[in-house]
Amino acid sequence: MIAVIGSGIVGSLIAREINKYIEDVFIFEARNGIGTGVTKGNSGIIHGGYDDTPGSLRSELCYKGNKLYDEISQELSVEVKRVGSHVVALNEDELKAIDELEERAIQNGVKEYEILDKVELLEMEPNLNKSALKSFYCPIAGVTEPWEVAMQATKSVEINGGKVLKNKKLVEVKKKDNKFELFFEDGSSYIADLVINVAGLYADEVAKLFGDEVPYIFPVKGEYYLLGKDIKYANAVIFPTPSKLTKGCLVVPTVDGGYLAGPTAHGVKSKQDLSTTQEGLLEVREKSLRLVPTLDFSRNVIKTFAGLRPETKEKDFHIDVGGGNVIHVSGIRSPGLTAAPAIAKYVVEYLIQEKLHINLQKRKNYIGQIEKVPHLVEKDYDYWERVIQEDPDAGEMICYCNKITKKEIKEAIKNGARTLDDVKFATRASFGECQGSFCIPKILKIISEETGLKPEEVLQNEKGSWIINSEVRAI
């Protein structure tokens, strides 16, 4: 058996890549949901690959990963929008950064870019700060929903005979002959021939369980605003010129039509600190308004949130074989989302097959195409009407903000959703303007009816995150 520790976008795509050769793949996820760690609190940007330090593993895998996203989109039925990106210079000093980006793009082999002057830039982005002088425009940059990629990749693993096990926190490892015995917090244990450690923020701690040292990981918190869909702010991803520490505070069109402003980038002590702060959100407002002055933070804010990224002093990915048959995929900072499909191939084609000399043969019975329940509001009314005639649940609206029907909720549950967040990330129900104020009781009731769980057993996400603890009146 091959064990993958972690179900974020990188871990799930590695498991899927291995599963093309070997059926016996297990994903062990410490949390109660798929892609709910670093993957969940992410900008969702598919970077162009032009700005990573030439010669680094990040630069090698980012551009390759970008190119693989069209294939990922088609095979996993996930949305990828190539909206492009601008790095905008607002003064003479920042013009030097545009020149430096062009030099890096050449060194990284990226050809898909243009340097736009003020007139060209403002024609494409009329809401931009009118002081803008020039932009480095990359048309192959895009956006996706990283948790959706992870969920569809794990679904692919299950369809192809693998297993996805949640609430499996690895606590001890024993080497047994040439294999590993993995012990989990819930008392279970499994024997693995090969282990891939993709534990995100905790990859350095998991490496120690195998007796290995990888670069120390410290969490960097990014705070965000999510803005609504009813005001058009930008057509592409808008970056400031980067600093040595960060790509800066951005304005990002999301896949479903909203906008993200952020993130900040500040080191924190705890790997569980997902709090937002007055200072952090003020920083986001000031920096994003400098790029797009029309952003409306008084009436158009849906929510604020924070995510954590795994950072190391080396500021590069650490992906290598440890002691024995274990591979550590660690320090996956930005642009980890973009590089994820290329990291999966790097692990399987280089580390497993070439470095560990494990000969793999592609399976003939592998199912590559993974379907997803269509979002009915995006279909024409004739199609939707036909679906309603076959299944009346398709005509019952549960989430009015994002137009999610009862049929879509039930399909998500049929595919394994058991918590409110599972349903939220699988369908976008409760992701809209009201943030679930109207639909969460209905979703809770549907989960209870479809799974047999009592309403008080239905969780928001992790253990202990119950919504109700006793019946007040019938829901």
Side-chain angles (χ1 to χ4, degrees), residues 13-25 68 71 75 160 341 344-346 348-350 352-353 358-368:
L13 287 178
I14 289 173
R16 172 179 174 264
E17 195 66 28
I18 295 170
N19 202 214
K20 293 177 181 176
Y21 302 84
I22 295 173
E23 182 174 330
D24 198 13
V25 177
L68 290 169
E71 179 183 309
E75 292 183 353
N160 282 289
K345 290 189 178 294
Y346 182 85
V348 175
E349 295 173 4
Y350 173 57
I352 294 179
Q353 300 200 72
I358 298 174
N359 184 32
L360 301 177
Q361 299 293 325
K362 286 213 170 177
R363 295 167 57 192
K364 293 180 180 177
N365 61 345
Y366 180 75
I367 301 168

Side-chain angles (χ1 to χ4, degrees), residues 67-82:
K67 295 290 189 179
L68 290 169
Y69 262 96
D70 292 329
E71 179 183 309
I72 291 287
S73 174
Q74 183 179 7
E75 292 183 353
L76 294 182
S77 302
V78 296
E79 286 192 77
V80 170
K81 293 186 176 179
R82 301 272 182 187

Side-chain angles (χ1 to χ4, degrees), residues 280-294:
L281 295 175
L282 177 61
E283 180 183 341
V284 171
R285 290 198 300 273
E286 290 179 348
K287 290 184 174 178
S288 54
L289 283 168
R290 182 173 179 266
L291 292 171
V292 182
T294 58

Side-chain angles (χ1 to χ4, degrees), residues 34-220:
I34 301 300
T36 54
V38 175
T39 297
K40 177 182 167 186
N42 195 290
S43 302
I45 299 172
I46 300 171
H47 293 277
Y50 50 81
D51 66 335
D52 297 298
T53 305
S56 66
L57 196 52
R58 289 166 55 204
S59 71
E60 178 185 339
L61 297 176
C62 182
Y63 185 51
K64 289 180 182 175
N66 178 302
K67 295 290 189 179
L68 290 169
Y69 262 96
D70 292 329
E71 179 183 309
I72 291 287
S73 174
Q74 183 179 7
E75 292 183 353
L76 294 182
S77 302
V78 296
E79 286 192 77
V80 170
K81 293 186 176 179
R82 301 272 182 187
V83 297
S85 67
H86 296 277
V87 180
V88 178
L90 294 174
N91 55 49
E92 293 293 331
D93 289 340
E94 293 178 355
L95 287 176
K96 295 175 186 173
I98 301 295
D99 295 336
E100 290 170 5
L101 285 177
E102 184 171 21
E103 186 60 38
R104 282 194 175 196
I106 293 168
Q107 292 183 57
N108 287 336
V110 178
K111 298 176 181 175
E112 299 90 343
Y113 70 88
E114 297 176 57
I115 306 299
L116 303 182
D117 63 23
K118 183 184 185 84
V119 173
E120 294 170 313
L121 173 57
L122 292 179
E123 279 183 359
M124 292 179 73
E125 298 291 347
N127 292 318
L128 214 58
N129 187 331
K130 298 300 183 286
S131 300
L133 298 175
K134 192 179 279 190
S135 90
F136 180 99
Y137 174 60
C138 182
I140 61 170
V143 292
T144 189
E145 290 184 334
W147 53 85
E148 183 186 37
V149 177
M151 292 172 86
Q152 287 295 94
T154 54
K155 183 178 175 182
S156 168
V157 170
E158 290 184 308
I159 286 173
N160 282 289
K163 301 287 184 187
V164 181
L165 304 177
K166 302 175 188 173
N167 297 306
K168 294 290 183 184
K169 181 181 179 182
L170 187 65
V171 293
E172 187 180 1
V173 176
K174 289 182 180 176
K175 199 159 187 180
K176 202 170 185 178
D177 300 325
N178 289 323
K179 301 184 177 185
F180 292 108
E181 187 168 10
L182 309 175
F183 295 88
F184 295 90
E185 193 175 51
D186 63 0
S188 62
S189 66
Y190 297 81
I191 302 291
D193 299 284
L194 173 66
V195 179
I196 320 294
N197 163 24
V198 204
L201 286 162
Y202 301 92
D204 56 342
E205 298 173 34
V206 169
K208 288 180 180 175
L209 297 177
F210 291 87
D212 293 330
E213 288 287 339
V214 298
Y216 172 74
I217 291 173
F218 56 93
V220 172

Side-chain angles (χ1 to χ4, degrees), residues 386-445:
R386 288 196 298 276
V387 177
I388 291 172
Q389 294 303 318
E390 295 171 2
D391 184 350
D393 285 341
E396 183 177 344
M397 198 63 72
I398 300 297
C399 170
Y400 283 91
C401 296
N402 284 335
K403 310 289 187 293
I404 311 297
T405 66
K406 187 175 184 180
K407 177 179 173 62
E408 291 164 81
I409 305 287
K410 289 174 69 171
E411 289 288 345
I413 295 167
K414 192 185 296 181
N415 287 327
R418 292 294 180 272
T419 68
L420 293 172
D421 274 7
D422 285 345
V423 171
K424 176 180 181 177
F425 288 105
T427 67
R428 295 180 187 155
S430 77
F431 231 133
E433 283 80 355
C434 84
Q435 288 291 290
S437 298
F438 292 98
C439 63
I440 279 179
K442 295 179 181 177
I443 297 170
L444 190 151
K445 185 168 184 271

